[in-house]
Each structure stands twice: as C-alpha cells, then as structure tokens.
Amino acid sequence: MEIRKRMDVFLVPLVVLLLGLVSANTGYAQQVSGVVTDATSGSTLPGVNVIVKGTTQGTSTGTDGSYSLNVPTLQDTLVFSFIGYQKQEVPIQGRTKINIVLKSQAISGDELVVVGYGKQKKKTLTGSISKVSGSDVTVSPSPNVTSSLEGKLPGLVVNQRTGEPGREDLNILIRGNGTFNNNDPLVVIDGVPRDNLSQLNPNDIEDITVLKDASAAIYGARAANGVILVTTKQGSKSKPKFNFSYSYAFQQPTKIPNMLDAATFATAFNEAEWYRQGRPDKSNFTPFYTDKAIQKYRNGSDPVLYPNTDWVSEVLKPYSANQKVNLQASGGSANIQYLLSFGMTDQDGNFKNNPTHYKKYNARAKVNVDLTEDLTVGANISANLNQRKYPSVGTQVNFINILQANPTLVAKYPNGLIAPGRLQENPLLLDRRGYDRFKDYPINSTFTASYNVPFVKGLALDASYNYDLRNQFEKLFSKPYSFHKYNVQTGKYDKVWATNASTVQLTDTYSRWTKSLFNFRVSYETTIGKYHNISAMVGTEQQRQNYSYAMAYRKNFVSSAIPQINVGSTNPKDMNNGGSASESAYNNYFGRLNYDYNSKYLLEFVFRYDGSQIFPKGNRYGFFPGVSAGWRLSEEDFIRDNLPFVSELKLRGSYGELGNDRVGAYQYLQSFSFGDNYVFGAGDVPGITPNTLPNPDITWEVSKKLDLGLEATLWDGLLGADITLWKENRSNILLQPNRSVSHVYGFSGLPDKNIGKVENRGFEIVLTHQNNIGDLSYSIRANTSFARSKIKFMDETPQAEPYQTQTGHPLGSGLYYKSDGIFNTQQELDNYPHGPGAQVGDIKVVDLNNDGVIDGKDRYRTDNSPTPEYTFGLTTNFKYKGFDLTLFFQGQTNAYTYDGTVATLGGSDFANAAVYRAKDRWTVDNKDATMPRADQWTPGATDFFLFDATFVRLKNAELGYSLPHRLLSKVGAGSFKDLRFYVNGSNLLTWAKEIKWRDPEMGGDFTNYPPLRIINVGVNVNF
Amino acid sequence: MKKLIPVFIILLFISCKQDILDISPQDRISENAVWSDVNLIKAYQNSLYNAIPHGFYIHMYSKYTDEAYDSAPCCGADIFARNTFTPENITAVSGGDFWGGYMYYWDHGYQYIRRINVFLEKMQGDDIQFEEKKRLVAETKFLRAFIYFKLIKRYGGVPIVKKAYDLGDDVQFKRSTFDECVAFINQDLSDAISDLPARYPSTDPNYGRATADAAKALRSRMFLYAASPLFNPSNDKQKWQKAADAAAALIGDEGGVDYYELYPDYQKLFELKTGEAQKEVIFARGFTSSNGHEAPMNNLNRRYGAYGGWWGSNGPTQNLVDDYDMTNGEQPFLKDGSINPNSGYDPQNPYKNRDPRLNATIIHDGSTFRGDTLEMWVAEDGSQWGKDSYKESGDNPRTNYVLKKFMPTEGPLSWDHTFTIEWPHFRLAEIYLNYAEAEFELGNEAKAREYVNKVRSRPSVNLPDIPSTVTGEDLRRRIYNERRVELAFEGQRFFDIRRWKIGGVVENRPIRGMDIAKNMSTKNKTYTPVKLLQKKPWEEKMNLLPIAQDEIRRNPELTQTPGW
C-alpha cells in the first residue's frame, strides 16, 4: 500500500507539470494542402495522418483524401503515415500544394512483434515466439478467449475440459508439462501479469504472442512455463471509425453419452445382484426387478410406476442461446489517439429449470496523448462486469444426477409434476433450490508516460503505473424445495418437502483483490558506423498484491423472499462468519541488449534479477539470463545470387535460465492454523493444528531452455516454414521427499524440497502457403508441435517392480493393471491367476511378474498422460469477391484419458451406465463378450478403461459475405464502409479414435459439463 | 523539458524500495507464538483429542462386519464389505467420513503421536509453567496410549515412537512385539492415572477430557484383547487374570470404582445429547451444534430424507437380527442354524417376543418410530410397496432394516441440522462384559454368568438370567453373543471377530436381509430371509490389517503383517 500512496502523491504534480508543457504551442501562418492516393489502386486515401516533422502539429485526410494544414514555415518537412502503408517524409521546399502517393507496406519484413517489455521486428527476431492476431481470435464464436487459442499457436497446448458458462476450465500449457507443480504459463495483459485472460473481450485484442524459449527470461522467476503476452488494440491517427457487431449463437453439448434405458438397466442390475449373492441357483434367487416389471419398463405401459426415463433429454435443452454485441470507436488526430470499446455477452445454460446464466459487460477506454513532440502519456482502463449465476448445487453433482440417475426413476410425471429424482436431487428442481451468484467486477488500469530524451538521440524513458482492483460478491442462497411423489397406496401425488434443505440459508462472501505494479524503463538505440545497430533497455518493476475476503452466513430465515443477511435468524447458533487475507510482492530489475550487424547477424541478451517474497530472506533473489543469436542467410550474397527464390531465411538459437515460483508461500516457516476444534462438556474448545513442516532453504525451480530454429519464406510468401527444435532441463523442482520418509515419523505434511529434475524436449513446425488465383485468394497455415517430458529424478518411493518406477517416464503417467480381454469362461478364470474378487466375466488382469498372484505388483507405468504430446492445427482461409471462408481443424494425439466412472455397471448404488459399457457385456448367455460383466471387479484401475484420446475436429469454421459498396449505396447505406454477414461455428465435427461415446477432449470421468458446440450468426458493420 | 529528468529520477528511487518483500503471513500463527501463549498451548492440546476417531463417520465400522450390509460400491468401505482388502488398497480407508472412518489409521495415528511427542517434549523442563500443566500432560499420555492401542489391535506390534523426530533425521522403524507395546501403553496409562482426576460428571464442562477412570477402562479393554486367542495363542491364564483385574478396578462390587451404573433405558442411553445426566459412560466424544455430526441423516432411511448409510449401505443385517434372544431368554436359533424349538420363535412373526434391545437398535417392518409405522413390505405381484421398502428408494436399505441406535426419536431431522448425540468410547456394560469374559476364561463360570446377567437385567432389557445349566463352550457362545447384541453398532464387532478368531465362521456366512411379501387381498405378510452378499472366503491373515505396501518400501525394516 505504501508504494501506492507515494505514487498518488507523486502522480498529481506530474500530470500538472505535463499539462503545463503542452500550452507552450503557438499559432502558425502558412498553409499547405493536397491529396493522398494509393499507389496501386490510385484511389484516394481518407484518414492519412499528416504532421509537421518535429512538432505535434498535424491533421488527417478527409473522405476525399485531401488535407490542408498550417505550417510554421514552408521549409519544414511533412510526414505522411497510414496503417499498412510506408511512411513518407516530404520536405515542403516552398510548395503550398503537395500530392502524395503512398505505397502499401510489405507485410512480412517490418511486421512488429510484441516481446517482453517492448516490440521487435519479426525479421530480426532471435527468440522462439509465436503470434496470433486479434482477428484470428474473433473467428471463434466461443465467449472465452482462451478457447479460441486452441490449436492456433504451435507449442501451445490448450484443452477445453468443460463448457459450463463462465467456468470453462481451460487448461493452457506451453510446450507440455515441465514440472510436477503448477505448469501454468505467465499471462501478461498490457504489460501486467493478470489472470483474467478468459474474461477479456476478444474484440479488444490486437494480438497475442507467446514466448516459449530463453526470450522469456526477461520475466525471470515466473517465466519457466512460458509467457503469454496479450496486447489490446489502440486507436490510430485517423478519422473516427466505428465498428458494430452483433451475433446470436446456438450452443449445445458436443456429445453426451447414451445411457441405458430402464429395461436394460434393470436387467444389468439383476445380473449384478445375482453375482453379488454368489451366483445362487436360479430357484434360490429373487431378482430385484421381476420379468414383469422389466416388461413394463420396456413397453412403457405404466409411465408412473414403471417409467423409462431418458434423463438427458428430460433435463438438457436441445440448445441454448448466446448473444454478443460489440461496439468500438477509434481514431485520433495529430496528437491524440483513442479507442473506446464496449462489449456484451449473454450466455444461457444448457439445463431446463436451472438458474445458470452468464452475463459479461466489457468496457475499455484507451487514450494516448502526445503532450509534446517527445512526451506521450496514456491511459488504458478496462472494466468488466461479470455476472455468473449457477445452481446452489455443484455442477458435477448435477451431471451425476443426470447421467447416473436411475432410468427407472420418474423425472416428470405425465401430469407435469416434477418427481424427486435421484436422492431428491432431480436437476429439474434446481430453480427451486436457490442459486450461487457471482458479481465480479475487475477494473484494470494502466497509466503510461514515454519520453524521448531530445538531447540524446535514441534515448527514451518509459514509466507505467498499473492498479488493478477486483471486487467479487458471491451470494449462495439455498432454500427448502418441494417436489411431488406418487403414492402407490393412495394413488395420489403427495407434495413432499426435500430434507436436503429444511431452512433458508444464505452465505454472502465478499472478496477483494488489488494489485499495484510500477514499472520504469530506460532504453537507448543507436547505429555505430553504417552497420552496427545497438539497442539496450534496463528497467525495474515492483509489484504488490493483496487479497482479502469476508464471509457471513445465516440460516433459519423467516421468509425466502428477501435473500439478505439481515433477514436471517439472529440466534447465535444460526450465524457464522469468516475471513482472511494474504499479501505478496515482487521486486525486480531486468534488461535487454540487442546487437545486429546490418540486420544480418543478430544477437540478443536479456536478463532479470528477480526477487520474490515467497522464499526466505537470502534465497529471494535470483538472476535469470537468456541469450539468443540469429543469422539471416537470405542477406548473404551467396544465397541471394544462387537461390533467388529465397525471400527470407534465418537460423536462430537461444539458451536461457528461467525460474518457476508458482508454489505456496511461507513454506520456510513453521506455522499453525486455527482449526481441529474439539468439544468438552457441552461446549466447543478451540484447537490449532501445525501446518506442513518448514523447509528453510526453499527456492524456485530452474529451467534451462535451449532452442534452435529455422525460418524461411520462399517465392515471396508462396511457401513459408518455421521449424524449431527445443530442449528443456528443469531442476530444483519442488517435491516432497517421498522415498525416505515413512509415515511413522508422523510429520504433518512434508515440505517441498528443490530436488526434482525433469527433461523435456520437442519440436514445432509451421508451414504456410498463400496464393491468388484470379479473384480467389487463399492461405493455408499448418502447425504441429510435439513435447515429451521425462522425469529424471523425483526421490520416488521404491516401487515393487522396476516397470513401475515413474522416473524415466513422462509427467502425469499413471500406474495401471494390464488387461487382456475378459475371462470369457470359467475355465479361463480357473487357469489363470486372478484377484480376490474376480469372477468369470471380469477383466483378465495380466500377471505381469508371473508370480501367480494378482496384486499391486502387476501394475505397470504407462508412457501416457492426459496431456497430448502431439497437437496440430490447420487453418485455411479463402476469399472470393465478397465471400470469405475460414476452416480451422485442430487435433491431438498421444494423449490418454482414464475414465473410472464408465467402468461401473449394475452397482448396488443404482447408478446408470453408458450404453457403450453395457452393450456387449459378459453374461452367462454372452460368453464371447468384449466388455466385462455387470458389477465387474478389478483390483484397481486397469488400462481397459484407459482411452486413446486422439482426435481431430473441425474446431472453427466461418463463412462471411461482405456487401459490395455499390449495393450499399443503392440501399442507402452508403455511409457504411463495410457490411459483412457471417455464420460461424465451433466444435462442429469431431473424429475421435477411441473415445467415440463422449467428447474426447474432456478429462477424466464423463460425468461433467461437456464442451459446447456453437453455431453462430452475426453481422459486422464498419462506418 | 529538462524539468522532467528529476521527475524520472524520483520515480527510479521509489522503485528501489527493498523491504517490499518483507511481508509476514496474515492467515496463520508462527511456532514461537504458540509455545509462549498459554491459551495457544491449551488450544494445541485440545486438538490432540481429535486423534481418537469417533464412530459417526459416514462409514460406520458396522458395515465392515456382519452387523450391516454394505451396498456402497465405492470409497474404500467396499474392501471390507467383500473382504478384498490388500496392502495395495488398504489406504482407501485412511480418512474420515467417506474414506473409511480411519480404519487404516496408520497415518492418522502416527501424525498425532508426533504432535503428542512435540507437546510432551515442550512441557518437559520448567520453561513453560501454568496451572493445568500437569493434568494436560497426563491427558496427553492417555491419548498416546489410546492411539497405540488403536494401532496394535489393527496391526499387532507396531513401532513405538517416543520422541518427535525432525525432518532429516534418519530412522529405520521396527515393530516392537505386541506385548512390548502393551507394556508401553500400560506405562503411559499408569503415568496418566496418577495425575488425572477420577472423573467428571457428564454434566461437567470438563466431561470428555481424559480421566483416571477412562485410563482404567482402556486398560481393561487392552488387557482383554491381549488375553484373547489372536494375541494369546498359548492361552496364558495370567493374561486373563490381568484382564479380569483391570475390569474389576472399575466395578464397585469387586472393590473398584463405585460410581458408574447402568442407565435404565437402553434405547434412551444412545439418544442422550452431550452433557445430559447419566452415569454409565466412562469416556465419550461429545458434540455441539457447531461441532456436530450427521449420523441420523446418514443412517435413517428415505422417509426422513436420510441416506440409509449412503445408498442404504448401513442397513442392519438379518444375521444380527437372528442373534437377539427371545424374551424367554432362549436363543431363536440353535448352533446348527435350525430354529430352537424351546424359543417360541415364529419365522412368520419374527419380531415378536424378542430381546427389547432389538427394537432399541433396529427399525424393522411394523416398527414405530417418531410416530410413523414403518412399512418394508412389497406386494406379492410387485405392484405396490410400503414407503420404506427398498423398492421405494435406493436409500432404504435392501436388508429392510434401518439403524435405530443413536437416532433421535424426536427433534428436527434435516441435513442442515447438526446432531449432538455423543459417541461412547467406554461404558460400564462393556466393562461388565470384559469382566465376564475374563472370568469365564479363568474358569469362574458363575462369576461370568453373574456379570452377563447384570447386563441382561438392565430395567428396560429385563431378560431372564442365563441359567447355570449353560456351561463351557455354550456359555462362551452366550458371552460372545451378549457382547454382539449389547455393543452392536458401537464399533466393537470388527475387532471382536478378529480377537476371537471367529472370522472363519461369521465372515463366511452370507450377509442376509429380509424380504416381506404382502398379499394385498388377505393383508398377510410372508417373511423370507434373502441372501445379499457372499464375501470372499475368510483367511487367517485378515485378523490383522496389512500395512500399505508403499510404507514398507519406505522403511524396509518394517515387517509386513504376517500373511500379507
């Protein structure tokens, strides 16, 4: 907080001072005018910036491309600039009329790429950096920015595990897993580490770059998992531009497993009961469901007592809606640039009778002001109003109550009354049970000042102060609810109150996060002689974060009409409250040095001296360097002369040491927490409990990254290639020393020690092709990446058998019993070792060590994990006259998902099972089955239910049509610069290798909110 | 323009603030603070009581035995339901609630042993002085003794850890023998008894703390176990004598503590809220509304919105129901399983004239509970069923029996209410039965009969005495049976089966329930016991639990439990 106060004291006079400087401008007398046209088409160019060099005086061209400007003298120079065109400086030389032809800019060469604390030209870049532009992000109709990144960037592994509105749990990894601990990359939005990427308005994004190698070393102790840099759009010095877009999407789960109908369910349950009772003689066995009952389930003659409920179609809507509105205004004049943006997203949930709803408003104002020729100040303020509403019961619970609900239970009686469902948890009752509502209001602000020191050419100072504030109110409101139940004795429908909640309960939680970050940089750029280009930057940054929350709880409300705390009972037994706080800080210094010889030989050095409060004094500061070099072969005469089709060819390499500090704070202190209370007499007594033992030497993980790359552009962009090979050694990984520490020591949780070592290697390939054939222009961009980790050391508990060790295998690889089909006959069972509960019809577990016993020693370590090793993406763009089409395919392989839930069938808990599981199950009459019997027994997780999660999907497709200008004028919409209709979709088609019965991208058990398929129609207007 | 330079220089200085990283945690207390504040020391000692699990977790130990039918297909409990536990899967029952009610206990127990050792080490010497210090040290020793007893009845001899090791200490732990452990526990108990008050009345604010009587009760149970066939293969009579003496120390008639008395109403005893007056319970875990349990909601049936033990998985078995005597004192079934002709047992009216403890412990078809008459029947043609039948809901136990012991017969029943019925660790009836069993094994059958009969003659039970004609093996059977019935659902059966080494008989019997078919025109009901679960065949090694295989690998000198 102290820093912030000091900043406040300081910022005010700064601003006053700066404003004073502006007023020094005086009037001019001479006038120059002219018209600006495009070099290729010859048409006039509106919105071109024209300024007098060395001043802030300027204007921009009008709709007819003309301008007129007062200049101090006719000896000055005019500067013409326009986005996408080469800048021109024209000495006036006494003229008063100057017509200018602007040439469009070659796209590849001078393209700028955002890197840590700066921008660099793509052609002289030496790091391994991928970039995606904002327009690629908005092709996806997904409301979540992160899901639009899936498959777009080589080396970025994104998996969408669920589709719940506002809770899409996207798992982002850069180059796979590097550590046992947190593998999340650092996300930096407009220069500040921020974690609300998923809440950004996709339309605000200018571009996203990913630093994958040593180039991330400038982010020091937080960079080992890679860095994602997001830059938001800003206004340009042009006439005001307005953009309006509206879209309406239909969304539905990609794939919900088919579950058993009532008759099949009952049959399988009876089988299971028979097995559980030790397979008695049929005469000695009363099935739970009689043949007569099963008959009724099948023929539907009695929907009240013998229903056949398809819970999925009873509870889920066929589709739900998602609407988006966006409004953007941007522009600028000679010394001011602005962008105002507003976005609204309204997403509905997929359940019937369910309060799930997500509403998001995004607003952003970004202004840059050139106060003087050398001083620019700016502000970038974004606010987000996020309202998320969910049922008061957890989502996974709800999906269990849909997918695993017994199909012999009624969901809704024929007369429309809602039945209790599984455990009185019928999802159709959710709207009666209260809600869990979040109102989340993050505000991010950035204030910047850049000063080009006028008396030292190339020297610039930059400072920024950022303050983020996020307030979140959560209201968890739960109230008694009722349902109806058919009474078999009276034949009436009794109204019954559920016992899960007998009184109104309310929990209000107020959470607050703040972050202040101050950043100051000095940079210098010069050219020595003709060819030695040098640029350097050093900076310092301090960050401080606070989190606190307060919670209040009441129950026994007089009425459920007013969900406010003060309506609850004031009896002390009915009240509760809680709260806590935490604080963290960083302090660091960083820098970059670039040298190139004639843009041919490139060299870069970056560093960060990083201090993190997570670690004890003495271990807090670390130095993280990164060095990279490049050689642009295409600048060499021997290439130019002999291989003229090579437009660009570059070799690059880098090496760096980076850190990962994403571990719990204060692990160096022995601390105690309140809790573990007890009761004496009839009263509570407080308790305290020791936390994890301390490790006084704890420090960060170290990652050493080595990259080699080759970039080529051939035949002027007809073919592009970018190939990267990389290797990473992660050491000092924080792990519990497991091997040596018996539980008999009784330690209250072992502290992490910096002992783990993981090696990671992989490659990335990007190929691009673009061409025009007549009116058809198209581009293809394919990328694939591979990443495989290998554990080198983890102080592993010695395993019983050598093939069980985790060391030497990828992170996340599990232990499974090997399966070899089914024990189809009693003879097969008798002739082979089997576990204590095995019966004929069970999965045949292989006796791996041939000791005649099936036990834990027969498990083996797989080389597979749920994180894909290969990911690929293929984007194709076509443009033909007014039409444009984008198809984006994405996929993965070498990923394996274990689903233990799908294995269950016929359990005594009446959980329903997937058709996939039951269809060809073993029964006494189906001995050649491929699936195990109902109530199957295995000693533990077997690879029978470990699935190859390979898939390819049509992730996005978009078809658009822009109305020709002629037509626009005809219908009286001539003021529209651009009017485009489009239809697009997400997760449209999926080809899965093994997981065909549910969405292959979800992790773990199938009882969760699946990802969504979205079909979207929209309109976009520029004027 | 040059004016800006100092501005930037000032900015630079602001950023050089070094102490920004010195932040002390705001949500926890440091170690030094704990040992220098008496209130925190007491809070530390209070929390040590949580070492002793109560029996109100979702999975009660009854479903690991023939007391209840465990239909839960998961969460660890099923490895005992089917006796498929192994060194690989045994840690599935190492947690509370869902995760087995601490049946594995190894990790939990040793963690608290370290906490206790830390406490005892800090209390040594004179640095820390406060009024209650001596008593709290004695209480803590009792807790250590109780933990060790819980370990040895599961695993046999275990490593004795008397000091708090620090991280980095390199120790290979070895098992001490069972007898060494008993001696060590007995020493802790002796130390505790000398510094503890004899008892607190159940209405006292200190009730629930360790007392000298609690230590004596633990000693009684421990010596009984130590003398039992599993731990005393040579049947050393001296061990039985120790068991008898330890029990006698709490029995007024035998010259021991003369304070405790059987609570007259057997059913009400298990409905008393923490803090209510009674003189039967010697040591208990209390509950309050803010630190309460959900046992009634977990175990009652669907009619009350409860879960019947989760998925109806704690339904009392026919096996248990069959073991309640008739009111004439006869057992309904003979040793061979046939109906005892002298008992008057009518298989078509099975709940008539039974030991009143059956009705106090188990809700069955036709029982009255909270004003409701429970109906577990199913029409012969399957078209209708009683509201409490397993057909109505998976939360009505398939056995058609519902637990009644510990369930409140009045007051609110709902998930957002917490219950404060206490969990008895030791009570007088058990001490009587400990005494009876020890005296029987010493050959004093009259004495044994006398104390079994005391339990049977509790006013609300009022069963005829076991006649003096019952002797030898028959008498032993009656003593065992009395313990099964009197202590049903109190977490004892699991260990009694093992120390008596009767698993080969009782664990190999199928778990059964009762089907009640109703003829809708005549209203007649037909009772047919139904087989529900055949467990994996019993093996002798199952008498003791295996240690997790990982744990053995971490500590190679720790031997695995024999047979595993």
Side-chain angles (χ1 to χ4, degrees), chain A residues 87-138:
Chain A
K87 194 158 131 182
Q88 274 198 41
E89 294 192 9
V90 182
I92 302 174
Q93 296 174 331
R95 295 174 287 178
T96 54
K97 188 150 185 94
I98 302 178
N99 292 336
I100 289 296
V101 177
L102 284 184
K103 281 189 203 153
S104 67
Q105 207 164 38
I107 290 172
S108 58
D110 289 330
E111 191 184 346
L112 288 178
V113 175
V114 175
V115 295
Y117 302 98
K119 281 185 180 184
Q120 287 181 341
K121 282 181 188 162
K122 190 169 190 301
K123 66 177 180 188
T124 56
L125 210 57
T126 48
S128 183
I129 292 168
S130 327
K131 176 183 160 181
V132 63
S133 69
S135 58
D136 283 337
V137 172
T138 46

Side-chain angles (χ1 to χ4, degrees), chain A residues 2-3 6 10 14 17-18 273 276-278 288 305-306 372 375 422-424 451 455 461 463 485 488-489 499-503 505 518 520 540 542-544 555 573 580-581 583-587 589 611-613 617 620-621 665-666 669-672 674 676-691 693-694 738-748 750-751 797-800 836-837 855-856 859 908-910 935 937, chain B residues 1-5 7-8 10-12 14-18 20-31 34 40 43-44 46-47 49-50 69 71-73 82 84 88 106-107 110-112 114-115 159 161 165-167 169-171 173 204-209 274 285-291 302 304-305 307 311 375 377 381-387 390-392 394-395 398 414-416 531-534 536 550-551 553-555:
Chain A
E2 207 172 326
I3 287 198
R6 287 201 199 178
F10 180 68
L14 174 70
L17 177 74
L18 297 178
E273 281 280 284
R276 277 191 282 273
Q277 294 174 24
F288 190 91
L305 286 180
Y306 297 92
T372 71
L375 183 68
R422 178 181 177 268
L423 307 173
Q424 306 184 337
Y451 181 57
F455 39 86
L461 307 177
K485 188 147 177 49
V488 284
Q489 293 172 55
T499 42
N500 306 17
S502 64
T503 74
Q505 299 186 67
F518 165 72
F520 178 71
T540 173
Q542 281 192 345
Q543 182 183 337
R544 190 146 191 172
K555 68 174 181 183
K573 281 165 76 174
S580 191
E583 207 174 338
S584 64
Y586 290 99
N587 184 35
Y589 308 89
S612 165
Q613 133 280 357
K617 257 189 175 163
R620 266 178 195 164
Y621 281 89
Y666 303 117
L669 292 175
Q670 171 71 71
S671 62
F672 289 78
F674 287 100
D676 224 2
N677 297 348
Y678 199 74
V679 173
F680 292 130
D684 293 324
V685 291
I688 52 171
T689 128
N691 298 324
L693 289 183
N738 253 327
R739 182 171 59 94
S740 35
V741 186
S742 159
H743 287 182
V744 179
Y745 285 103
F747 295 135
S748 54
L750 291 171
T797 310
Q799 300 284 355
D855 58 12
R859 291 177 300 172
S908 46
D909 58 349
F910 296 95
D935 199 48
W937 185 90
Chain B
M1 219 68 76
K2 286 183 184 164
K3 288 178 219 163
L4 282 176
I5 296 304
V7 165
F8 279 113
I10 293 167
L11 280 173
L12 194 61
I14 289 173
S15 65
C16 291
K17 193 168 163 283
Q18 285 287 339
I20 184 173
L21 301 184
D22 289 333
I23 300 171
S24 46
Q26 303 188 6
D27 52 356
R28 47 201 122 181
I29 338 162
S30 74
E31 175 158 32
V34 172
L40 291 178
Y44 183 97
N46 289 339
S47 75
Y49 275 84
N50 287 305
Y69 166 51
S71 51
R82 302 188 186 201
T84 53
E88 273 84 25
W106 183 271
D107 301 355
Y110 275 109
Q111 260 194 36
Y112 276 91
R114 182 173 189 276
R115 285 206 213 177
V161 183
Y165 290 103
D166 284 320
L167 204 60
D169 290 348
D170 193 8
V171 191
F173 297 101
D204 189 280
N206 278 317
Y207 175 74
R209 286 191 178 276
T274 303
R285 161 73 200 253
F287 294 91
T288 63
S289 61
S290 48
N291 194 344
R302 194 73 256 179
Y304 305 105
Y307 289 163
W311 301 291
E375 300 182 67
W377 52 266
D381 63 358
S383 63
Q384 293 182 41
W385 50 80
K387 195 174 181 181
Y390 66 90
K391 288 268 186 193
E392 176 78 8
D395 289 335
R398 176 64 185 91
S414 115
W415 279 105
D416 43 45
K531 230 165 112 174
L532 295 175
L533 180 68
Q534 184 66 53
K536 191 199 152 206
D550 279 359
E551 184 66 8
R553 289 190 204 114
R554 279 186 206 110
N555 193 355

